Amino acid sequence: MTTLDRAKSWLEQDPDPETRAELEALIPAAEGGDAAAMDALRDRFDTRLTFGTAGLRGELGAGSNRMNRVLVAQAATGFARWLLERDEAPSTEPPSVVIGYDGRVNSDVFASDSAELMAGAGVRVVLLPRALPTPVLAFAVRHLGVSAGVMVTASHNPPRDNGYKVYLGGRDGGSQIVAPTDEAIHQAILAVADTSVVGELPRSTDYALADESVVDAYVDRTAALVTRTAESPVIEPVRFVYTAMHGVGWEVARRTFAAAGLGEPTVVAEQIEPDGTFPTVAFPNPEEPGAMDLSFATARAADAELIIANDPDADRLAVAIPDPSTPEGWRRLSGNEVGALLGWRAAERLQREERQAKFAASLVSSPALAAVAGAYGVSYSDTLTGFKWISRVGGLAYGYEEALGYLVDPEKVRDKDGISAAVDLLALAGELKAAGRTLAEHQRDFDERFGAFASAQVSLRVTDLSRIGAIMAALRDNPPNEIGGVRVSQVDDFSGGFGVFPPSDILRFWMHGGARVIVRPSGTEPKVKVYIDASSDQGSVDERRAAAQAEVAALEAGMRQLIV
């Protein structure tokens, strides 16, 4: 079948007027010899968004290589059929799914289509009552005891993206899917795409709409993270600013902060309500340059002591603290810095409760959490990147990844949770304030006890995806002997599997002296990502920090030369 044939077949079954209009303009133009129109059709139809462990994620638009109602219909039906074939429930009960969605463009439409199609296929469906954070959906999978969960979200991706994220209940405990399940679901979706017309797929409106009890339960469980102890009997709420980054976090976050006794924040008014166009940011990701500028301005005006930011689906948390040495007067803590502080807090909690448990972090995250675990006698595991792996560590008490993801309450939810993490961080800040101390001072205490850890990232965004493979191949075939003047002592290539890790497109360079550089393609964006870590436990806190940061800076400069 030619590209034009695929486009015409797609148009015949597309129920969306907007994407139909795209094809109704492109097809005749391409048939008339318009090369740009033909290239646009090839980009849309000569490949297909692959259903992987992160589900589906891509730009909105017509075609098999875009997120749209046809693709989602095929995905929902294929996933439903896979669930019916896999069914772990007693034979008298059908498999069940809870579906949630965020505030992005078409998220509600994709969720409604999924509910009708999965119900029509014979799955028992519960649809969350409105746009809600991803952690609420992940919680609902366990809370409702369903077979699976679907979340329509592209998290912190660019504004024109959307996605489709899948969780499994039962023996998977509410975690995201891992291989080879993703490939089995992908094949089920392809079977639908190859043999069915979307308009002829069975639909049903016989599904349940979840009531407020699911949200209430999430709020109650999350607020319960805040406890008064003999060591910290008082929490003095800090003055803080909150931004939802144009996402869906505010309603649930506000209720949870209040229930936990953490006070009412000053909000970034321009970003507090859901808006799928994300008008104030180029990328709705707190890590991106400029994304938190409005937060800094709001905090200066409010004389705040802390900034709390969730990404658009509220599964990530960014934190900023006052810093007079910066032009903005504020400094955003890295994911590794927050992850280390929350890990120290979790270790203290385990020690207080005399409880045995495990910590875990993705292997690209800072070694700081392993240092905390070692100091407290807590078992620690590195995992592959993503909470689909972190959440599956048995006996987990705390896990994090450097990309602003933290899991502080694994019994409640098996995914990163930006609201729960915000509650835990605000409680820590309140305890410190009651003792006359700040988070910045607490960080110095950390560096004094465990050593100073420094990290940096290099991200290379590409428009030609073949560049990612070329960069990885060049580093694999001709690994450097030194990076930024620091000698490479060992190279770990994960492509054929490494230790307990399955085959993965990851390269890890160990440097003379113990620093580390890891290179991998992004799992959700067209990027090559480099993760650089170094540490020092020699000298004063300032000397330790300076030594670690200097080595990271040298390695960062060296890696930029290698890949950029």
Side-chain angles (χ1 to χ4, degrees):
M1 187 180 288
T2 68
T3 299
L4 277 169
D5 289 337
R6 285 193 291 270
K8 290 175 182 178
S9 174
W10 195 276
L11 175 59
E12 289 174 359
Q13 59 180 324
D14 191 346
D16 189 326
E18 185 173 338
T19 46
R20 287 181 63 85
E22 287 181 32
L23 297 181
E24 286 167 348
L26 287 171
I27 291 171
E31 288 178 320
D34 186 324
M38 193 68 229
D39 287 345
L41 288 178
R42 289 194 183 101
D43 185 48
R44 286 165 166 78
F45 289 101
D46 282 5
T47 187
R48 182 183 180 91
L49 290 181
T50 300
F51 191 96
T53 55
L56 295 166
R57 195 172 291 189
E59 184 182 352
L60 292 167
S64 56
N65 196 34
R66 298 287 190 273
M67 285 295 298
N68 51 69
R69 291 185 69 188
V70 175
L71 191 87
V72 167
Q74 294 166 346
T77 303
F79 184 42
R81 292 179 181 176
W82 180 84
L83 282 173
L84 288 160
E85 292 173 2
R86 168 195 186 259
D87 191 10
E88 293 182 338
S91 58
T92 56
E93 298 179 10
S96 51
V97 65
V98 57
I99 299 172
Y101 58 97
D102 68 6
R104 283 181 176 263
V105 174
N106 276 0
S107 287
D108 55 344
V109 176
F110 295 160
S112 179
D113 279 346
S114 295
E116 292 182 7
L117 287 158
M118 295 188 81
V123 174
R124 182 171 64 84
V125 176
V126 179
L127 180 65
L128 292 186
R130 59 186 175 282
L132 287 164
T134 291
V136 175
L137 181 280
F139 166 75
V141 175
R142 291 172 64 82
H143 180 68
L144 298 177
V146 293
S147 309
V150 169
M151 183 68 193
V152 181
T153 179
S155 191
H156 61 293
N157 269 39
R160 284 293 297 169
D161 284 6
N162 213 324
Y164 204 80
K165 187 174 178 180
V166 168
Y167 302 80
L168 292 179
R171 61 174 175 260
D172 291 274
S175 293
Q176 294 178 65
I177 58 171
V178 294
T181 298
D182 59 328
E183 178 60 23
I185 297 172
H186 181 61
Q187 292 302 319
I189 293 169
L190 290 181
V192 174
D194 290 344
T195 61
S196 304
V197 175
V198 165
E200 297 173 1
L201 293 172
R203 288 176 175 257
S204 173
T205 57
D206 185 18
Y207 60 83
L209 193 66
D211 60 28
E212 285 300 307
S213 64
V214 174
V215 182
D216 292 344
Y218 173 86
V219 169
D220 291 344
R221 286 284 299 274
T222 306
L225 287 169
V226 179
T227 58
R228 273 65 174 176
T229 67
E231 294 81 4
S232 301
V234 178
I235 295 176
E236 184 178 345
V238 296
R239 300 185 306 278
F240 70 104
V241 161
Y242 176 84
T243 179
M245 204 67 67
H246 297 297
V248 295
W250 172 230
E251 176 215 342
V252 177
R254 181 184 193 180
R255 288 181 55 189
T256 308
F257 298 155
L262 297 171
E264 178 84 4
T266 299
V267 301
V268 180
E270 301 93 330
Q271 298 176 336
I272 204 63
E273 297 297 333
D275 186 339
T277 66
F278 303 101
T280 69
V281 291
F283 292 94
N285 177 354
E287 292 181 295
E288 292 285 345
M292 292 188 66
D293 285 355
L294 285 173
S295 298
F296 296 154
T298 303
R300 289 193 297 268
D303 190 28
E305 299 167 290
L306 190 66
I307 296 172
I308 295 290
N310 284 138
D311 69 337
D313 68 328
D315 64 349
R316 286 174 169 83
L317 166 69
V319 176
I321 61 175
D323 186 343
S325 70
T326 66
E328 300 87 356
W330 286 81
R331 180 174 71 88
R332 183 183 66 78
L333 302 184
S334 71
N336 283 323
E337 288 177 287
V338 175
L341 293 180
L342 291 178
W344 188 13
R345 182 170 175 81
E348 286 284 315
R349 187 181 298 125
L350 287 178
Q351 185 178 73
R352 188 168 59 248
E353 297 172 357
E354 299 182 345
R355 183 161 58 94
Q356 294 295 313
K358 295 180 180 178
F359 288 172
S362 61
L363 60 86
V364 298
S365 299
S366 169
L369 184 61
V372 172
Y376 281 81
V378 177
S379 176
Y380 173 82
S381 296
D382 279 327
T383 74
L384 290 177
T385 303
F387 275 82
K388 56 184 173 285
W389 298 108
I390 295 170
S391 69
R392 291 173 181 268
V393 171
L396 186 70
Y398 172 73
Y400 97 97
E401 63 180 5
E402 47 70 42
L404 309 186
Y406 319 96
L407 177 49
V408 301
D409 189 7
E411 286 304 308
K412 180 188 72 188
V413 61
R414 295 290 172 89
D415 197 7
K416 56 185 173 290
D417 182 348
I419 296 175
S420 295
V423 166
D424 210 21
L425 195 285
L426 284 166
L428 169 61
E431 291 168 5
L432 291 169
K433 183 177 180 179
R437 298 181 60 75
T438 66
L439 280 173
E441 291 169 330
H442 195 56
Q443 282 191 294
R444 293 186 67 85
D445 293 343
F446 183 100
D447 294 351
E448 177 68 35
R449 179 164 182 181
F450 304 106
F453 293 79
S455 303
Q457 267 194 45
V458 179
S459 290
L460 178 63
R461 184 180 290 272
V462 301
T463 53
D464 179 0
L465 292 179
S466 67
R467 284 197 64 199
I468 294 176
I471 290 168
M472 295 301 296
L475 289 172
R476 190 167 274 122
D477 296 341
N478 297 289
N481 295 317
E482 60 87 23
I483 301 172
V486 184
R487 180 164 57 87
V488 176
S489 60
Q490 180 178 321
V491 181
D492 299 333
D493 185 351
F494 288 64
S495 60
F498 187 84
V500 299
F501 298 104
S504 306
D505 194 5
I506 297 171
L507 288 168
R508 180 169 61 189
F509 301 90
W510 290 104
M511 314 307 297
H512 181 70
R516 185 188 74 187
V517 177
I518 297 176
V519 188
R520 72 172 184 94
S522 170
T524 56
E525 298 177 271
K527 289 180 177 180
V528 174
K529 303 188 80 171
V530 181
Y531 306 83
I532 302 164
D533 288 282
S535 64
S536 173
D537 59 3
Q538 301 299 307
S540 67
V541 167
D542 289 336
E543 290 168 338
R544 293 177 178 192
R545 289 181 171 182
Q549 289 164 359
E551 185 162 15
V552 162
L555 293 171
E556 181 180 359
M559 285 307 299
R560 287 189 183 278
Q561 290 180 344
L562 280 173
I563 72 165
V564 178

